[in-house]
């Protein structure tokens, strides 16, 4: 239950809604008109035309939402109390702050190490979705 309640705020992503709205507004209306002449309904048009064409926007929104969700320390630290439930950011930073205060370790080194560990998943997401991210950015800038 805690993992589900952690993911629910990530579902509502207002910038993503604006990205999709802007992208679909700039698609030619002729695509929908031709599909309607061929007998396609609204759901079929959405599924067969708009959804495949919106892959760049989907990649961009996924990267931005994922980065926001992974770095949402405050919400996750309030939600997760058991060590086995904690996400990477809460567990690593919590241990870094606990270790640095109890052993008089330099907190800057612990924070830098935690930052590197948290950067790796974001970097991997970007590497695998870079094509869609750059297409989404270029599509938005050309219109």
């Amino acid at each position: 239950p805690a993992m589900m309640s952690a993911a629910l705020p990530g579902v509502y992503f207002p910038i993503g809604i604006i990205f999709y709205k802007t992208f679909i507004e700039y698609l030619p209306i002729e695509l929908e008109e031709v599909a309607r002449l061929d007998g396609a309904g609204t759901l079929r048009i959405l599924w067969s035309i708009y959804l495949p064409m919106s892959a760049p926007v989907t990649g961009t929104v996924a990267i931005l939402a994922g980065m926001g969700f992974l770095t949402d320390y405050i919400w996750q630290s309030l939600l997760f109390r058991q060590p086995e439930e904690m996400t990477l950011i809460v567990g690593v930073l919590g241990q870094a702050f606990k270790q640095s205060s109890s052993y008089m370790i330099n907190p800057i080194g612990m924070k830098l190490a935690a930052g590197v560990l948290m950067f790796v998943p974001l970097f991997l997401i970007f590497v695998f979705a870079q094509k869609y991210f750059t297409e989404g950015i270029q599509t938005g800038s050309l219109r």
Side-chain angles (χ1 to χ4, degrees):
M3 289 305 271
M4 183 59 105
S5 57
L8 283 177
V11 172
Y12 177 68
F13 189 60
I15 299 299
I17 295 170
I18 292 170
F19 280 176
Y20 276 108
K21 179 187 176 297
T22 305
F23 181 79
I24 289 177
E25 278 181 351
Y26 283 105
L27 288 176
I29 193 69
E30 290 81 14
L31 292 172
E32 183 176 348
E33 290 173 353
V34 168
R36 291 230 184 256
L37 285 174
D38 287 342
T42 305
L43 208 55
R44 180 70 176 176
I45 292 170
L46 179 68
W47 188 258
S48 298
I49 296 174
Y50 289 139
L51 196 61
M53 291 181 75
S54 65
V57 175
T58 303
T60 304
V61 168
I63 290 172
L64 294 176
M67 287 173 46
F69 183 68
L70 284 175
T71 59
D72 190 11
Y73 175 74
I74 294 172
W75 171 250
Q76 294 174 11
S77 64
L78 289 173
L79 190 63
F80 302 124
R81 295 290 174 198
Q82 302 301 321
E84 61 270 2
E85 293 178 342
M86 291 182 181
T87 58
L88 181 66
I89 188 170
V90 175
V92 170
L93 284 181
Q95 287 298 323
F97 292 137
K98 191 184 322 176
Q99 296 291 331
S100 65
S101 63
S102 62
Y103 295 118
M104 299 300 174
I105 297 173
N106 184 359
I108 294 173
M110 294 295 280
K111 289 177 186 176
L112 288 173
V116 168
L117 286 175
M118 289 180 286
F119 172 74
V120 170
L122 296 175
F123 180 72
L124 291 175
I125 290 170
F126 182 75
V127 165
F128 289 115
Q130 180 181 11
K131 172 185 165 190
Y132 298 112
F133 186 73
T134 54
E135 282 180 19
I137 297 295
Q138 289 173 351
T139 302
S141 68
L142 293 176
R143 298 196 190 259

